[in-house]
Amino acid sequence: MIGILVVTHGQFGEECIKSLSLITGEYEKLASLSLNPADSVLDLAQQVKETLDALDDGDGVLALVDLLGGSPFNAVASQMKDRNLECVTGLNMSMLMNAAEERDSCTLKELAALAMERAAEGIVDVTLDIGSDKTAEYFHLEQEQNPALGFRAIRICLTRPDIFRTQLRALCRASAYGNIAIMFPMITSEWEVLQAKELCAQVQEELAAENIPYNRNMEIGIMLETPAAVVIADILAQHVDFFSIGTNDLTQYTLAIDRQSRNLDRFYDAHHPAVLRMIRHAAQTAHDAGIWIGICGELGADQSLTETFLEYGVDEISVSPASVLPIRKVVRTMGLSVEKREE
């Protein structure tokens, strides 16, 4: 039997396998490694080697990693010489489920090809989104009295184009190897979108001049996290391929409530009519403009709102792996209830 090794940053791989076991049951010859960037390269390679040795019974191993580049990919790549091993990047639940179900009827190379097809479904990469509750000490950001409304996310990127261009260049180069979309966070004005897109276009022109491949049809989207962005969504939609509603920040900005303050718990209502109207307006505006819209944040995993979001026209719900099965069950139940009403 072909072994499957999931190697990721943090606990993402472990959560994927836990969700898989909930959906389809336990599998043999399936393991995950969560690599710590603080470990040395040799230590990481040794962890992968030992796990591969345990998984490989002669049919080989398929390694699924989260990103092209970085510790997980490099640790797997270091073991590919003289070993029956294939590596596919862009791990997602669909890829893992398909690989686990199809490996008994495929060769290793065939299974890797199937996994790559699932990877082609695409991922959305948010550009640098630090500030407020997302701290990064190495940036040496000044202390602010109200960091949630301060120097963060796209504001840092447009103020520090040297950092922003480096990230855009990496994402554009990675787009040659998989279906990647870029998303800009914390947008409040049209000029921010235009300037961010201009920097991205400059980076792509440089890559073309250097004969470095990238996806010329890569989608660019923005996060709707502020009431300002939702109100002018019709203007912003003219410049992007998709929206993603960031419900955590949108809720706190709409209600003027710091969601990290325990003293305000009784006033914080994620189901507030104003918040839901914001989401409905954004979805309607997106579809009027002919673009798709997703939703992320804590409300995405709120099963009591799943049907509401789909009725609004939300096209995609982004949740953690552990929430995939419960949300999928709600959606399937909705389909059954609709069929019964039609009957």
Side-chain angles (χ1 to χ4, degrees), residues 279-309:
I279 294 171
R280 181 174 61 187
H281 173 71
Q284 292 174 343
T285 303
H287 289 165
D288 288 344
I291 64 175
W292 64 271
I293 184 167
I295 194 166
C296 60
E298 294 177 4
L299 286 188
D302 189 334
Q303 299 172 49
S304 68
L305 287 175
T306 303
E307 185 168 358
T308 299
F309 292 153

Side-chain angles (χ1 to χ4, degrees), residues 80-328:
M80 295 190 73
K81 185 178 181 181
D82 301 325
R83 185 188 285 272
N84 191 16
L85 171 65
E86 294 286 340
C87 181
V88 177
T89 62
L91 172 67
N92 56 50
M93 278 299 299
S94 176
M95 177 194 295
L96 179 58
M97 288 179 62
N98 186 253
E101 292 172 356
E102 299 295 333
R103 58 179 167 170
D104 288 336
S105 59
C106 298
T107 65
L108 179 58
K109 289 191 177 297
E110 290 171 342
L111 191 63
L114 288 174
M116 290 184 68
E117 290 179 6
R118 298 291 178 171
E121 294 175 0
I123 59 173
V124 176
D125 277 286
V126 184
T127 56
L128 187 66
D129 190 15
I130 62 171
S132 186
D133 58 327
K134 306 183 186 77
T135 59
E137 294 182 1
Y138 52 84
F139 266 87
H140 304 293
L141 299 177
E142 295 181 4
Q143 293 290 326
E144 298 176 297
Q145 290 187 347
N146 195 343
L149 299 178
F151 192 51
R152 56 179 297 196
I154 197 66
R155 298 167 183 175
I156 295 176
C157 291
L158 296 181
T159 305
R160 295 286 306 275
D162 54 327
I163 296 173
F164 195 32
R165 287 171 60 90
T166 299
Q167 186 178 22
L168 292 173
R169 182 180 174 91
L171 290 172
C172 288
R173 291 188 65 179
S175 72
Y177 303 95
N179 186 15
I180 291 177
I182 294 177
M183 182 164 65
F184 305 131
M186 197 60 186
I187 294 296
T188 59
S189 302
E190 181 183 23
W191 72 265
E192 295 168 337
V193 180
L194 295 176
Q195 189 169 330
K197 288 186 64 178
E198 175 59 27
L199 288 170
C200 189
Q202 291 175 10
V203 166
Q204 291 175 339
E205 289 177 4
E206 293 171 3
L207 292 175
E210 299 171 34
N211 293 317
I212 297 176
Y214 68 92
N215 180 8
R216 298 176 183 272
N217 298 314
M218 182 170 52
E219 287 189 330
I220 292 179
I222 61 171
M223 293 191 71
L224 299 182
E225 302 174 274
T226 67
V230 175
V231 171
I232 64 168
D234 57 327
I235 297 173
L236 300 177
Q238 300 174 30
H239 307 295
V240 297
D241 300 300
F242 65 92
F243 289 151
S244 180
I245 304 171
T247 58
N248 293 346
D249 275 331
L250 182 61
T251 300
Q252 76 166 345
Y253 293 140
T254 301
L255 302 182
I257 289 178
D258 182 355
R259 58 190 173 92
Q260 294 184 319
S261 174
R262 294 182 179 179
N263 295 328
L264 298 175
D265 284 350
R266 61 178 294 210
F267 301 101
Y268 185 86
D269 179 11
H271 293 204
H272 193 289
V275 176
L276 297 181
R277 287 186 181 186
M278 285 273 181
I279 294 171
R280 181 174 61 187
H281 173 71
Q284 292 174 343
T285 303
H287 289 165
D288 288 344
I291 64 175
W292 64 271
I293 184 167
I295 194 166
C296 60
E298 294 177 4
L299 286 188
D302 189 334
Q303 299 172 49
S304 68
L305 287 175
T306 303
E307 185 168 358
T308 299
F309 292 153
L310 297 186
E311 288 174 350
Y312 287 171
V314 172
D315 301 296
E316 179 179 291
I317 299 177
S318 176
V319 297
S320 66
S323 297
V324 170
L325 183 59
I327 294 296
R328 182 176 293 175

Side-chain angles (χ1 to χ4, degrees), residues 22-44:
L22 289 173
I23 297 170
T24 58
E26 299 288 342
Y27 283 95
E28 296 180 359
K29 297 292 181 182
L30 178 62
S32 68
L33 280 177
S34 300
L35 299 185
N36 181 1
D39 292 340
S40 71
V41 175
L42 292 178
D43 288 339
L44 297 179

